[in-house]
Amino acid sequence: MSRPSPAISRRQFFTISAAATAAVCLKPTALLAQATSDFITKSRAANANNKISLTPLRRNVTFVAGAGGNIAVLTAKEGKLIVDSGYSSCQSQLNTALGSISADPIQVLINTHWHLDHTDGNEWMHSAGATIWAHENTRYRMTATQHIDAFDATFPPAPAGALPTILVNIYRTLSDETNTLKLSYYEPAHTDTDISVYFTEADIFHCGDTWFNGFYPFIDYSTGGSINGMIRAAETNLAAVTDKTIIIPGHGPIGNKAQLTEFRDMLVGTRDSVAKLKKEGKSLEETIAAKPTAAFDEKWNNGGMKADGYTSLVYQGV
């Protein structure tokens, strides 16, 4: 295992030079419906007119919803630090929303993982002055063509200006002597690129797509994800937070430890039910027909990832 990366000084927090160097928003109506050639175009178009909502949290941290994956914004001494960049097609309304928080420039952008709905705005935020941070696997995924089998969608390499230039291995700490952020890498979970971002003084924890609050998650097996990895990440998240922590999921409303615990329990329960059927020799079609998620559907079958599609993903990993 590589040594953890060192802390970043106050000066480096917002001034380190760039030269130093899924996915979906859960709006598709069917897991396998989109064609490879126009998936990105359709995803951007489907979200282009989204309304952006702002929720002030603690210590100059704001929760921003509507641009794709959930965004967090810290207004610090020397500018804004942003977690995830949403869809590029949301640039106009997102830029307006960010301007309403403060007139300070965007200095740092952190990507929680590589998927389009969390990184598609990278290029314009970089052009606005942001240095982009992410796990080293995120940069790797974004520099090469990727294919997500579940959507039969191919993603070409990202433009150079969209690529992360400050890379996390196991963890890194950013500090400006007022705000401290801890970036921690998960073992492969939703993808093999996932990191969490903990705003220490504010006690706010952004866990990216290792938590979908209120609906079944998408798990990207094509780039390293798995149901067991998602369960491990949920356990990691629970160990990192308290009952007072504000938790920002990758999708869905902000939540707390009790809600995160329900998510973990759902993952375990559905995994075990599907695994039992598969061990009995049931095919995927027979497993779906047996409705192994029935005990959880009332609460969790309310997003773009419906029970049958989620069952297919779980079946793949057990």
Side-chain angles (χ1 to χ4, degrees):
M1 180 179 294
S2 302
R3 292 182 180 179
S5 304
I8 303 302
S9 71
R10 177 182 182 276
R11 183 177 180 182
Q12 288 175 307
F13 184 19
F14 280 125
T15 62
I16 189 165
S17 170
T21 49
V24 292
C25 188
L26 294 187
K27 288 200 171 185
T29 58
L31 182 62
L32 303 174
Q34 298 284 6
T36 297
S37 61
D38 61 2
F39 183 89
I40 295 175
T41 299
K42 286 187 175 181
S43 295
R44 288 171 175 160
N47 290 276
N49 297 314
N50 288 358
K51 293 183 179 180
I52 307 299
S53 66
L54 304 178
T55 305
L57 300 178
R58 301 172 181 150
R59 291 182 62 95
N60 295 326
V61 178
T62 302
F63 171 62
V64 182
N70 287 335
I71 292 171
V73 179
L74 168 66
T75 302
K77 292 179 180 179
E78 299 178 32
K80 296 191 191 78
L81 179 147
I82 298 179
V83 180
D84 285 339
S85 62
Y87 282 108
S88 60
S89 54
C90 294
Q91 177 180 349
S92 177
Q93 61 267 47
L94 181 56
N95 205 27
T96 298
L98 294 175
S100 73
I101 296 173
S102 80
D104 297 329
I106 305 171
Q107 295 284 2
V108 172
L109 169 63
I110 300 169
N111 292 146
T112 59
H113 63 292
W114 80 272
H115 281 160
L116 187 75
D117 54 331
H118 297 258
T119 63
D120 197 36
N122 279 20
E123 188 173 28
W124 77 259
M125 289 194 184
H126 173 69
S127 296
T131 299
I132 306 173
W133 296 60
H135 189 263
E136 57 193 14
N137 287 350
T138 292
R139 180 179 171 90
Y140 165 73
R141 294 291 182 189
M142 292 178 69
T143 56
T145 298
Q146 303 297 323
H147 186 82
I148 298 180
D149 291 341
F151 295 95
D152 190 22
T154 297
F155 299 82
L163 296 176
T165 54
I166 308 297
L167 304 180
V168 178
N169 182 357
I170 304 302
Y171 69 81
R172 292 189 83 156
T173 300
L174 293 77
S175 177
D176 67 351
E177 297 178 359
T178 300
N179 304 283
T180 305
L181 280 72
K182 295 181 179 180
L183 282 57
S184 301
Y185 176 60
Y186 297 95
E187 293 300 315
H190 171 65
T191 66
D192 62 8
T193 70
D194 305 298
I195 63 171
S196 62
V197 181
Y198 180 51
F199 299 81
T200 304
E201 291 82 8
D203 193 18
I204 296 170
F205 188 77
H206 195 315
C207 56
D209 279 7
T210 66
W211 185 23
F212 287 61
N213 188 11
F215 38 86
Y216 291 126
F218 171 61
I219 307 171
D220 185 3
Y221 285 84
S222 297
T223 61
S226 70
I227 180 61
N228 287 325
M230 287 288 285
I231 292 170
R232 286 193 299 270
E235 296 286 2
T236 297
N237 291 338
L238 287 170
V241 303
T242 72
D243 292 339
K244 296 181 180 179
T245 306
I246 296 173
I247 309 172
I248 301 176
H251 296 275
I254 55 175
N256 55 39
K257 188 171 186 176
Q259 293 168 315
L260 182 58
T261 300
E262 286 187 81
F263 180 71
R264 185 275 314 276
D265 293 346
M266 179 275 293
L267 292 175
V268 172
T270 54
R271 188 269 314 268
D272 291 350
S273 295
V274 172
K276 180 176 182 294
L277 291 167
K278 189 172 183 178
K279 187 176 181 180
E280 292 171 356
K282 297 289 194 298
S283 67
L284 173 59
E285 292 74 17
E286 290 170 331
T287 299
I288 290 173
K291 302 296 181 184
T293 66
F296 301 95
D297 284 351
E298 183 176 357
K299 180 176 180 62
W300 300 97
N301 196 32
N302 301 307
M305 180 57 63
K306 298 304 182 184
D308 289 357
Y310 171 67
T311 298
S312 299
L313 294 174
V314 177
Y315 187 92
Q316 184 175 344
V318 298

